[in-house]
Amino acid sequence: MTPSDVKATLSFSDGSPSMDLPLYKGNIGPDVIDIRKLYGQTGKFTYDPGFLSTASCNSTITYIDGDKGELLYRGYPIEQLAKNCDFLETCHLLLYGDLPDAAQRVDFTARVSNHTMVHEQMQFFLRGFRRDAHPMAIMTGLVGALSAFYHDSTDINNPEHREIAAIRLIAKMPTLVAMAYKYTCGQPYMYPKNKLSYSANFMQMMFANPCEEYVQNDVLVRAMDRIFILHADHEQNASTSTVRLCGSSGTNPFAAIAAGVACLWGPAHGGANEACLNMLGDIQKMGGVEKIGEFIKQVKDKNSNVKLMGFGHRVYKNYDPRATLMRETCHEVLGALGLHDDPLFKLAMALEKIALEDDYFVSRKLYPNVDFYSGIVQRAIGIPVPLFTAVFALARTVGWIAQLNEMIGDPEYKIGRPRQLYVGAAQRNVLPIAQR
Ligand code: SDX
């Protein structure tokens, strides 16, 4: 963080004393105005609900340029990572700051493979849920429950403990997501097979069963791996900010990640891929492509509360580079499965075309985001719609834990404690009930 030689001067029209605020420059991206001394010197807070203009931290992990549609993990463009690396290499990059060399890749893969099983007791947490429980309700419970198995052995101020917690979470999320799926469909759990790659292991835990040999489809395994890479981290989004704030109290890393899972579930965030597929299904029921105009009319009607799910983004005011890559994967997967005539995919392509030509969306800079196509790919792979966000949580776990460890590893970090603008009742006295 480099101090800028430019200062910001804050002055007040009522003649209150002005104050100089230092600016800091990042390596790329917007400068920041350091307001840490503002309240102490002026007795005033800044006000920024939704944090549209607020940097909550400094970070070296992920950079997004919303205007250029750029996404870098530790400086590497997402397009290059998606084409040249696999998810575990990307995990190594996000956790340690660089892509592994051949020896590091073997070592990291072995370390993750050694932690893919969960404690046998975990099965009993699942039994408490109804079979039709939403997978994200199950995942919020299971990830939080991991705290119970490691709480006594996790001192978050110990870098080695932080590292093993990261490895455990990355390794166990596929096992837990697959268990959540098997539980809801009444099939036996499949144990991890550590000789398989990370994504192939997830696919066999999801789709294999004890009665027959499971044959991997390499195109689908590669597509799953790419979905994980594209969802791995994304700067200070809502769930990552939740993990940071939760972790800033010094809580167990498993509990902090469980908070991230809960936040990601929301349809405005990670739940958008499920909501997008449901939206496409609704348009299909309305009559398909011919009814897109009618649906778009609903979206434009503010009273309808209908949004075009999978469109829009707080940061990307141009295209989401992940959506472009996900659309490519869509073509590959549907082509490999002979599903190019998949009606939902054709509906999605038609909807995207119409929306991109409609001034309502263009003027609001609403473009397809990563969730618009990820649902169609996951559905083609065979992932049930309610499980889409759990798959997103699986992939985002490495980003959450990398960001959490970066924060905890910063000796300057403090517990996060925002203030407010109070607009409630001034002090008043309690009256006896007979006088209320
Ligand atoms: C993810 O932050 C991240 O990085 C998140 C994420 C990650 O990797 O972590 O990228 C993952 O969450 C992607 C986003 C997935 N969500 C959706 O697809 C849900 C639909 N999108 C919207 O809910 C919305 O676009 C948000 C929440 C994503 C962003 O909302 P903002 O930035 O707060 O923008 P806004 O709500 O203030 O909208 C600005 C205008 C408004 O209209 P006006 O009041 O100006 O007339 O655009 C409209 C909104 O009504 N608008 C939409 C819309 N999104 C915004 N109108 C219709 N459909 C939409 N999808």
Side-chain angles (χ1 to χ4, degrees):
M1 196 157 97
T2 316
S4 164
D5 44 22
V6 175
K7 293 265 177 285
T9 300
L10 182 64
S11 59
F12 298 92
S13 56
D14 63 358
S16 309
S18 66
M19 100 179 257
D20 280 348
L21 295 165
L23 265 69
Y24 288 98
K25 303 181 86 55
N27 295 347
I28 33 177
D31 295 351
V32 296
I33 301 170
D34 183 350
I35 57 164
R36 285 174 287 186
K37 293 197 168 64
L38 181 74
Y39 179 61
Q41 291 191 21
T42 69
K44 292 178 175 60
F45 298 136
T46 58
Y47 185 65
D48 186 16
F51 310 120
L52 286 107
S53 301
T54 293
S56 60
C57 63
N58 68 75
S59 178
T60 62
I61 299 175
T62 293
Y63 175 72
I64 307 172
D65 184 317
D67 296 325
K68 294 186 195 151
E70 245 176 38
L71 168 56
L72 310 178
Y73 289 166
R74 301 280 192 182
Y76 291 104
I78 193 68
E79 294 81 0
Q80 293 185 31
L81 292 168
K83 292 192 169 78
N84 302 298
C85 301
D86 68 16
F87 180 62
L88 274 192
E89 288 177 283
T90 307
C91 288
H92 187 284
L93 172 65
L94 290 168
L95 283 177
Y96 307 121
D98 224 322
L99 288 167
D101 61 26
Q104 289 165 332
R105 180 195 161 110
V106 168
D107 170 61
F108 185 69
T109 303
R111 272 188 293 141
V112 171
S113 297
N114 282 343
H115 291 276
T116 51
M117 281 207 295
V118 294
H119 195 293
E120 284 290 290
Q121 289 296 104
M122 287 298 281
Q123 300 184 29
F124 299 109
F125 291 110
L126 281 136
R127 286 196 193 151
F129 292 103
R130 287 178 5 192
R131 291 281 181 174
D132 63 352
H134 193 286
M136 284 301 277
I138 298 175
M139 287 306 296
T140 306
L142 291 182
V143 177
L146 284 176
S147 310
F149 294 90
Y150 304 110
H151 180 74
D152 303 335
S153 60
T154 308
D155 166 8
I156 50 136
N157 296 307
N158 178 331
E160 274 141 48
H161 287 202
R162 289 202 298 271
E163 147 103 33
I164 185 63
I167 297 288
R168 279 178 167 142
L169 279 157
I170 292 166
K172 295 179 195 306
M173 281 300 272
T175 311
L176 293 175
V177 171
M179 287 174 77
Y181 169 58
K182 288 297 195 187
Y183 181 75
T184 55
C185 63
Q187 286 190 8
Y189 306 127
M190 298 302 290
Y191 284 94
K193 287 189 170 29
N194 293 336
K195 64 178 186 317
L196 297 175
S197 71
Y198 187 90
S199 297
N201 206 358
F202 174 62
M203 295 290 272
Q204 74 88 17
M205 288 191 284
M206 280 285 295
F207 301 118
N209 66 59
C211 312
E212 54 213 22
E213 193 57 35
Y214 175 68
V215 179
Q216 294 279 359
N217 177 325
D218 290 343
V219 173
L220 301 191
V221 171
R222 181 77 197 129
M224 198 76 252
D225 201 75
R226 176 175 282 197
I227 287 173
F228 293 160
I229 292 172
L230 296 181
H231 288 82
D233 194 48
H234 213 239
E235 201 217 61
Q236 305 311 318
N237 58 85
S239 53
T240 298
S241 301
T242 301
V243 169
R244 279 181 173 257
L245 189 57
C246 183
S248 73
S249 72
T251 191
N252 180 302
F254 302 94
I257 300 301
V261 173
C263 175
L264 188 75
W265 190 2
H269 189 15
N273 48 22
E274 175 182 4
C276 180
L277 249 287
N278 293 336
M279 171 191 75
L280 291 171
D282 291 346
I283 300 173
Q284 196 74 326
K285 280 187 213 120
M286 278 165 68
V289 179
E290 296 72 45
K291 292 291 179 183
I292 290 181
E294 199 179 304
F295 179 77
I296 296 275
K297 217 179 283 166
Q298 285 179 33
V299 172
K300 291 177 181 176
D301 168 10
K302 292 284 175 201
N303 304 322
S304 75
N305 233 351
V306 173
K307 285 207 183 285
L308 193 53
M309 301 312 281
F311 269 69
H313 199 276
R314 172 62 59 76
V315 177
Y316 290 124
K317 296 308 175 192
N318 199 322
Y319 67 97
D320 179 340
R322 302 169 299 176
T324 310
L325 290 160
M326 193 60 76
R327 186 205 271 198
E328 258 176 50
T329 302
C330 229
H331 281 294
E332 281 163 26
V333 168
L334 295 175
L337 297 176
L339 294 176
H340 246 129
D341 293 337
D342 175 76
L344 279 191
F345 176 61
K346 293 176 97 168
L347 181 60
M349 298 283 278
L351 185 59
E352 182 191 37
K353 185 172 181 312
I354 292 170
L356 292 181
E357 288 160 4
D358 185 311
D359 185 56
Y360 180 90
F361 300 101
V362 176
S363 63
R364 289 169 175 79
K365 300 184 179 302
L366 300 176
Y367 297 89
N369 57 49
V370 66
D371 294 301
F372 188 65
Y373 281 102
S374 74
I376 298 164
V377 181
Q378 291 192 65
R379 179 174 160 274
I381 289 174
I383 310 268
V385 174
L387 205 77
F388 287 177
T389 311
V391 169
F392 192 154
L394 185 170
R396 186 53 58 88
T397 292
V398 62
W400 287 331
I401 195 75
Q403 299 264 356
L404 175 63
N405 285 353
E406 177 179 69
M407 177 187 76
I408 304 282
D410 174 354
E412 275 191 8
Y413 99 91
K414 294 177 180 305
I415 186 168
R417 207 291 186 203
R419 301 300 303 274
Q420 64 178 10
L421 175 67
Y422 179 68
V423 292
Q427 183 167 320
R428 52 183 172 158
N429 300 318
V430 174
L431 297 174
I433 192 159
Q435 295 174 34
R436 281 180 214 159

